[in-house]
């Protein structure tokens, strides 16, 4: 199993005033109102027939690399050889809000950002879709996506017809513990109240994942909850903070602390735990009895991207099960493509049985996608959450 030397951070954080301004529809750092676009008002010209090129921006370590030659990316190289489309691939997305800051002025004014495909976390994808900054895809040109996308990632509230955001990889938010320093945990309430864990627990500063798990632990649905239910879950979190049960809130910098045993248990992302368990099998990911959160990082074609046809060809290619399996063998996140598990058996039988890469229906039935928030909700919930976690 491949274990990167640096854990990856994809979920992104809403921290500080600039991020909160962005959540409210204001361009962070420039003080101007974000402009909503429409398909008729912001037209894009597809030059795919005349130009055999494509520009693709992604996160670091989110595409397979040839271990003997880091300049080679096997699945992408095969696509280039098969189609003749020359792909400029750049790992220039390190944080959702940071990337938004780079491109928001162009998108708000219907100008090109010089990229045909970008990959952003689902909540940021939802925001860009809400602003009208993303082009619709042609279902006829991505038949593999239509056929092979996991049912759990279909019909999301921000893209009900699956025409705007195609999942690149997915993951789960749940619990994790280091069995070298503590006994097994099974519930969110254990994490927040068990005396032997006091001061040895971290939670995520990503509001959707931490609060989604707490909502579930109170019997509420993260996909459809009220303000009162949110406040009820937040009160439970505040009690754990005030008592000293929770040491701190983290991005995925909890990973090295969990590996060392400096913390015993935490709210965690499945991709990180796969990487850690490759070094220490006593580090375990736990689906809480009350449920998990399912998230994805989605490919998007922004407005004024001039090679949408080539982007659709690339997405259709990566939804071939054999290609998806080769990618999943490298990145170790949940593969969103049905049929890839059978192909993975030919590549790495151990990975083919890993439920954090290929979760079964029983596990997926426990997973929920967090409710899509409008600007007002996002601003309100983030503000209340940040007050509790002390950010």
């Amino acid at each position: 199993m491949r274990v990167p030397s640096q854990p990856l951070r994809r979920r992104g954080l809403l921290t500080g005033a600039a991020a909160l301004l962005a959540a409210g529809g204001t361009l962070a750092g420039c003080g101007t109102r974000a402009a909503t676009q429409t398909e008729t008002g912001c037209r894009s010209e597809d030059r795919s027939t005349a130009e055999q090129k494509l520009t693709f921006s992604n996160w670091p370590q989110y595409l397979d690399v040839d271990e003997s030659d880091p300049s080679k990316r096997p699945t992408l190289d095969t696509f280039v050889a098969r189609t003749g489309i020359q792909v400029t691939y750049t790992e220039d997305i390190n944080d959702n809000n940071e990337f938004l800051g780079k491109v928001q002025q162009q998108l708000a004014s219907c100008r090109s950002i010089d990229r045909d495909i970008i990959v952003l976390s689902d909540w940021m994808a939802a925001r860009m879709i809400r602003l009208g900054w993303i082009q619709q895809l042609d279902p006829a040109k991505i038949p593999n996506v239509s056929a092979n996308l996991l049912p759990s990632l279909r019909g999301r509230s921000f893209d009900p017809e699956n025409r705007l955001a195609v999942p690149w990889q997915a993951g789960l938010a749940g619990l994790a513990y280091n069995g070298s320093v503590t006994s097994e945990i099974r519930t969110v309430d254990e994490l927040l109240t068990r005396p032997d864990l006091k001061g040895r627990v971290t939670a995520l500063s990503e509001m959707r994942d931490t609060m989604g798990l707490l909502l579930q632990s109170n019997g509420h649905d993260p996909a459809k909850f009220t303000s009162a239910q949110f406040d009820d879950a937040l009160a439970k979190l505040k009690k754990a903070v005030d008592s000293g049960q929770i040491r701190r809130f983290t991005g995925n910098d909890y990973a090295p602390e969990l590996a060392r045993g400096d913390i015993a248990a935490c709210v965690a992302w499945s991709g990180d735990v796969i990487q850690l368990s490759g070094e220490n099998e006593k580090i375990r990911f736990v689906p809480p009895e009350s449920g998990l959160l399912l998230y994805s990082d989605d490919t998007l074609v922004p407005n004024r991207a001039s090679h949408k046809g080539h982007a659709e060809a690339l997405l259709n290619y990566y939804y071939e099960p054999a290609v998806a399996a080769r990618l999943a063998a490298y990145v170790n996140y949940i593969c969103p493509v049905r049929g890839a598990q059978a192909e993975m058996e030919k590549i790495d039988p151990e990975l083919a049985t890993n439920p954090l890469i290929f979760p079964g229906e029983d596990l997926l039935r426990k997973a929920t996608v967090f409710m899509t928030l409008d600007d007002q909700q996002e601003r309100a919930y983030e503000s209340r959450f940040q007050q509790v976690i002390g950010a």
Side-chain angles (χ1 to χ4, degrees), residues 1 150 170-172 270-271 274 277 284-287 292 294 332-335 341 349-364 367:
M1 181 182 296
L150 288 179
L172 295 167
S270 57
I274 291 176
S277 63
R284 302 288 179 86
F285 183 83
V286 179
L292 306 104
L294 176 67
N332 290 173
Y333 280 76
I334 290 178
C335 179
Q341 186 171 15
E350 181 182 351
L351 291 183
T353 61
N354 191 318
L356 299 186
I357 299 176
F358 299 104
E361 289 302 317
D362 289 344
L363 186 59
L364 287 175

Side-chain angles (χ1 to χ4, degrees), residues 15-179:
T15 55
L20 289 174
L21 286 172
T26 299
L27 297 181
C30 68
T32 58
R33 198 71 180 171
T36 300
Q37 298 293 341
T38 64
E39 189 174 358
T40 55
C42 184
R43 294 185 178 276
S44 303
E45 178 189 1
D46 189 358
R47 298 199 294 267
S48 296
T49 302
E51 299 175 354
Q52 291 293 95
K53 60 183 181 180
L54 180 72
T55 302
F56 184 179
S57 282
N58 205 347
W59 299 75
Q61 296 181 312
Y62 226 12
L63 187 66
D64 52 308
V65 174
D66 188 327
E67 294 183 2
S68 62
D69 185 350
S71 68
K72 295 181 179 179
R73 305 180 186 276
T75 59
L76 189 60
D77 293 344
T78 299
F79 173 78
V80 172
R82 180 191 295 186
T83 64
I85 300 167
Q86 299 304 306
V87 180
T88 300
Y89 184 79
T90 308
E91 295 178 332
D92 62 346
I93 302 177
N94 294 288
D95 177 271
N96 288 284
N97 280 307
E98 178 186 64
F99 184 76
L100 176 65
K102 294 179 182 178
V103 302
Q104 57 191 354
Q105 292 189 33
Q106 298 98 302
L107 291 171
S109 57
C110 189
R111 290 183 286 129
S112 171
I113 63 170
D114 300 319
R115 296 166 175 88
D116 298 303
I117 299 179
I118 56 177
V119 180
L120 295 171
S121 296
D122 45 17
W123 59 268
M124 181 60 79
R127 185 187 304 172
M128 287 195 167
I129 290 169
R130 188 166 66 241
L131 289 166
W133 291 354
I134 303 303
Q135 294 189 51
Q136 287 202 21
L137 303 172
D138 182 351
K141 294 184 177 179
I142 50 172
N144 290 335
V145 177
S146 300
N148 298 330
L149 176 62
L150 288 179
S152 53
L153 291 169
R154 295 176 184 267
R156 296 173 293 176
S157 58
F158 60 88
D159 185 23
E161 296 180 357
N162 305 301
R163 294 194 61 184
L164 292 156
V166 175
W168 181 251
Q169 299 290 291
L172 295 167
L175 307 179
Y177 70 95
N178 186 333

Side-chain angles (χ1 to χ4, degrees), residues 177-180 259 273-285 350:
Y177 70 95
N178 186 333
S180 300
V273 181
I274 291 176
Q275 295 162 8
L276 295 176
S277 63
E279 295 290 327
N280 180 358
E281 63 181 13
K282 292 187 176 181
I283 296 176
R284 302 288 179 86
F285 183 83
E350 181 182 351

Side-chain angles (χ1 to χ4, degrees), residues 177-182 199-201 247 254-265 276 280 283:
Y177 70 95
N178 186 333
S180 300
V181 297
T182 192
R200 306 167 68 206
V201 167
R247 175 186 293 191
Y254 69 84
E257 293 184 61
L258 184 64
R260 292 192 301 266
D262 295 342
I263 59 172
L276 295 176
N280 180 358
I283 296 176

Side-chain angles (χ1 to χ4, degrees), residues 320-330 335 339-341 343-344 347 358:
E320 293 179 13
V323 176
R326 291 168 67 193
L327 177 61
Y330 184 85
C335 179
Q341 186 171 15
E343 295 294 334
M344 183 68 84
I347 300 170
F358 299 104

Side-chain angles (χ1 to χ4, degrees), residues 15 28-29 56 105 110 125 129 143 191 218 231 242 254 267 275 277 291 298 305 318 358 375 379 381 391:
T15 55
F56 184 179
Q105 292 189 33
C110 189
I129 290 169
L191 185 79
N218 280 351
D231 286 343
D242 292 345
Y254 69 84
V267 179
Q275 295 162 8
S277 63
D298 298 334
Y318 273 101
F358 299 104
D375 290 343
R379 191 163 54 247
Y381 291 145

